[in-house]
Amino acid sequence: MKKKRCVLCDFEFEYDDKVNESVFVRPYGEGAEYYHDLWHFHVDKCPNCGYASRDISHTYNKLITHDESYKAIGDISIIVELNEVRPNRVEAYMKAAYYYDSISDIYNSGRCLLQAGDLVYAELLYWDEYVFNSKDSLSALVSQAQYKELKKFADHLYNSAIQRLEDFVKEEPNHVDAWLLLAGSLLDGDKVQVIRGTRMLSSIADMDLTDKQRAALDFLKNDVR
């Protein structure tokens, strides 16, 4: 446990800085670990004022918690439903993404949205196993509708993250880590996205890479389906 003081409301609290991720995401090998660490990181969320970012002891937007759209994230119906079933960190990552958008840091926004989407996909698996009811036809229809709603929400977060990463590499074409993250994320998408991600890997191979980045590239190439 660690202690932190929120820069916006001066509230001090203890927190666990363990990275929250899907139980199915585990890095094996140098390349896999490097890629994994590109987008898996902890975000703080102040339990008093709700400010969320990678480090809430600092901010570039002192008015973020007064933003009505920011505050409304916790009231999104799917977020409310997810929180009612079991604790999760989806809201924290979505709020952190909104904060980074507000300061034009689209790289960190995209990375936070990737984590939010990944967590929703993980909750989808949990709901499919323990929450959805298929004992009768009506319950099955309701469960199917809920499943589609959750899947649509997760896909929205994923595609929003992809868009931010694409915008970022246009601005920073030599940012190798961003290219690796974008390519790897596309490989988890639909058929068209997988094709784009695969082509992107070939372009990245011609960039000036560190040994760890080269290992991450090799890992992603081996992961192409």
Side-chain angles (χ1 to χ4, degrees):
M1 299 296 290
K2 295 185 177 181
K3 281 188 177 181
K4 182 148 291 188
R5 185 180 297 276
C6 177
V7 67
L8 296 185
C9 68
D10 204 38
F11 184 78
E12 187 178 61
F13 62 99
E14 288 189 340
Y15 71 100
D16 184 351
D17 67 345
K18 181 181 178 181
V19 173
N20 290 274
E21 62 188 37
S22 166
V23 295
F24 299 100
V25 178
R26 291 290 184 271
Y28 296 100
E30 183 181 46
E33 184 175 350
Y34 187 87
Y35 174 73
H36 173 274
D37 290 345
L38 287 178
W39 63 285
H40 289 91
F41 50 77
H42 175 78
V43 297
D44 303 326
K45 179 174 174 288
C46 178
N48 184 51
C49 71
Y51 171 44
S53 74
R54 298 190 67 178
D55 179 10
I56 64 169
S57 66
H58 174 79
T59 189
Y60 288 107
N61 183 353
K62 294 182 178 181
L63 299 178
I64 186 64
T65 55
H66 298 284
D67 186 310
E68 293 301 323
S69 294
Y70 179 87
K71 292 189 290 185
I73 291 173
D75 297 324
I76 296 173
S77 60
I78 291 181
I79 297 296
V80 173
E81 287 183 74
L82 290 172
N83 287 332
E84 287 177 347
V85 172
R86 66 171 182 169
N88 63 81
R89 299 278 295 165
V90 177
E91 179 187 346
Y93 282 102
M94 287 184 65
K95 282 191 169 182
Y98 191 101
Y99 162 71
Y100 286 116
D101 276 337
S102 77
I103 61 172
S104 300
D105 185 348
I106 57 176
Y107 182 50
N108 272 316
S109 173
R111 296 200 288 173
C112 286
L113 287 173
L114 275 180
Q115 293 190 82
D118 192 54
L119 288 172
V120 176
Y121 285 126
E123 291 304 301
L124 191 58
L125 293 173
Y126 177 84
W127 279 45
D128 193 35
E129 183 71 22
Y130 300 107
V131 179
F132 293 136
N133 189 337
S134 58
K135 291 182 179 179
D136 56 69
S137 58
L138 180 59
S139 297
L141 286 173
V142 172
S143 294
Q144 185 179 36
Q146 288 179 306
Y147 182 93
K148 288 182 178 179
E149 184 181 21
L150 280 174
K151 177 65 163 52
K152 182 178 180 181
F153 186 61
D155 289 345
H156 168 72
L157 293 172
Y158 165 78
N159 287 313
S160 296
I162 292 295
Q163 184 60 60
R164 282 162 177 75
L165 292 174
E166 288 179 334
D167 291 341
F168 180 75
V169 295
K170 288 178 182 177
E171 296 178 3
E172 301 288 342
N174 296 318
H175 198 296
V176 177
D177 284 348
W179 279 109
L180 286 168
L181 182 55
L182 175 56
S185 299
L186 287 170
L187 294 178
D188 289 327
D190 58 31
K191 291 182 179 180
V192 174
Q193 289 171 322
V194 170
I195 292 172
R196 290 182 57 214
T198 303
R199 290 175 177 172
M200 206 169 283
L201 294 179
S202 298
S203 299
I204 295 173
D206 295 328
M207 300 176 74
D208 185 16
L209 308 179
T210 65
D211 290 341
K212 289 186 177 181
Q213 289 171 335
R214 181 72 62 182
L217 178 62
D218 291 339
F219 161 72
L220 292 174
K221 286 182 176 178
N222 291 331
D223 196 43
V224 174
R225 61 177 185 265

